[in-house]
Amino acid sequence: MPELSQETERRGAVLPYGLAEVTGPSMVPTLRHGDQLVVRWGARIRPGDVVVLRHPFQQDLLVVKRAVERREGGWWVLGDNPYAGGDSTDYGTVPDELVLGRVRFRYRPPKPDQRSPFAAARWALSAARPVLSDRSASRRLRAR
């Protein structure tokens, strides 16, 4: 499950934007292990948004998931990788107060083996991207 550092959250209390690093495979293909994220703390959440939240059972652990739908008691969140687990199918609805912010931008650092000009150009074209709400994915995920 993507995990974020506590230092990331502390900065979020002072500034509206913060940085986070993804660890784990639960948001593949949208986010990969090692991706750097720009998070808008306290942003309004809509279905389909990628969000940072406190794990309901381990509140010192921050995770990244997709907010699929509002339900009684909070948000139903799922990872984009259906085989990774660690989402609302395991721990149920996440209360609103545990959803901390919305992911706005993703930066993918270069791999050490990207030395050819072609690989460097391909990386440069795909390294930095906004993380958009995927409304069609949220509809598919709701149907599961």
Side-chain angles (χ1 to χ4, degrees), residues 13-110:
V14 177
L15 302 173
Y17 287 92
L19 298 176
E21 181 176 353
V22 175
T23 61
S26 75
M27 287 299 291
V28 170
T30 306
L31 303 173
R32 297 184 194 157
H33 180 82
D35 283 356
Q36 303 293 316
L37 306 176
V38 174
V39 180
R40 169 79 170 153
W41 302 114
R44 186 175 139 216
I45 308 301
R46 296 177 296 177
D49 288 344
V50 176
V51 297
V52 174
L53 58 115
R54 285 184 179 279
H55 191 284
F57 301 140
Q58 295 176 288
Q59 293 192 8
D60 60 334
L61 178 66
L62 301 179
V63 295
V64 179
K65 299 292 176 194
R66 187 173 300 277
V68 177
E69 68 182 2
R70 288 283 289 128
R71 292 190 177 182
E72 186 176 327
W75 284 96
W76 188 260
V77 297
L78 295 174
D80 286 357
N81 180 351
Y83 304 107
D87 54 25
S88 285
T89 57
D90 295 330
Y91 46 73
T93 303
V94 178
D96 289 326
E97 61 270 11
L98 297 183
V99 179
L100 304 175
R102 180 177 171 194
V103 176
R104 302 298 292 160
F105 199 73
R106 182 258 309 157
Y107 168 75
R108 188 162 289 155

